[in-house]
Every structure is written in C-alpha cells, then in structure tokens.
Amino acid sequence: MSIRRIGRHLLEHRWRLRRIFPPQALARIEQAIRSGEATHSGQVRFVVEGALDGAPLFRNQPARERALDIFSQLRIWDTVHNNGVLIYLLLADHDFEIVADRGIDARVGHAGWEKICVEMETQFRAGNFEGGVIKGIEAVSRELATHFPAQGAGRNELPDAPVVM
C-alpha cells in the first residue's frame, strides 16, 4: 500500500469532483447515454468516484477491481443480452476503466476497448473530462449499435443518469 496513494485519496475533495462534473455536465452525459441507447439494445452506465475511502482504500484496491465491484453492485451484468457497459472514472488515481459484459466484450475485444480508451485519455489529458466521457459513451454506443442494433422501442433496463460516488 502506497502512502502517496492514501494521501491522494484522503486529500481528494468532493468540491473538485463537483467542479469537474457540475450538474449541467452530468445532465449532458445522461443525454449522451440516452441518445446512444436509442441506437442499440445495450445498456451504458457512467460512474465517477472522486476518491476511495474505507476498506477499498486500505485494501489498496486498484481501479479495475473497483470498477468490477461497481459493475456488479449496479447489476450492469444483469441485462437481457449480456451487453451492459460501465465507464468508470476514479479521479484521485487519474484512472478510468471500461468494463463490458460478456455478450458485447466477446464481439469488441480488448483491442476495441483499448481504442476507445485512447480517445478518452486524449481528452482527459487536455482537462476535458466531460468531453472525454461523452466521446467514450458515443464510441461504446457505436460498438453496441453495430453488434446489438435497436429493435423497435426496447425497454431501458438500467438508469441513464451518471452515478457520482
């Protein structure tokens, strides 16, 4: 466990998260999810976490493992076609993860997700977090539309609103 990492997480303030993702930005992200889901039968969720605290922090939980926990907690794996996708951003670690259920992951593969990550990372490095998330949502939605196109007025299995932890 790194003292530096613990310090970064303990000093990460909620105001920074609210400054980077104010309500208007979260509303635009929600709209991007809603628009994307109109083109496919998949489900996309966005979760942003300012910093880890408690057990996840002191267990030194990596961002990927945390994203998998959240994927499970939010039941993103529980979609009809196994085509849920989580975009998870952990601000204190300057890290993000894309976790995809087996139905879509088998079709997109590691290389496809990595390409989306590179697009998002470019935006994040420029300080454009909202734009990076929206570009990621659009790219994920294109993959879902390719492999799981919309079939009529499908039901929305999961909420579109971003989750702020």
Side-chain angles (χ1 to χ4, degrees), residues 64-151:
R64 180 73 182 175
E65 188 178 306
R66 179 69 174 159
L68 289 167
D69 283 351
I70 291 169
F71 185 83
S72 176
Q73 290 170 17
L74 297 178
R75 300 180 62 92
I76 299 168
W77 53 267
D78 196 19
T79 59
V80 171
H81 302 289
N82 298 312
N83 57 0
V85 178
L86 168 66
I87 298 173
Y88 171 75
L89 176 59
L90 180 56
L91 290 175
D93 281 354
H94 305 277
D95 199 355
F96 70 97
E97 298 288 336
I98 295 176
V99 179
D101 203 350
R102 64 188 177 275
I104 185 64
D105 191 50
R107 291 181 168 111
V108 176
H110 179 76
W113 299 124
E114 190 61 34
K115 183 179 175 187
I116 294 170
C117 287
V118 168
E119 286 181 45
M120 293 175 65
E121 204 169 280
T122 301
Q123 295 295 314
F124 292 163
R125 281 199 183 123
N128 184 11
F129 291 95
E130 177 188 343
V133 170
I134 289 173
K135 281 191 178 295
I137 291 165
E138 291 169 346
V140 166
S141 290
R142 281 191 299 276
E143 290 292 343
L144 284 163
T146 298
H147 302 290
F148 294 93
Q151 298 173 355

Side-chain angles (χ1 to χ4, degrees), residues 44-60:
V44 178
R45 296 295 316 260
F46 170 65
V47 174
V48 59
E49 191 162 23
L52 300 177
D53 58 10
L57 177 60
F58 291 106
R59 277 192 332 229
N60 199 29

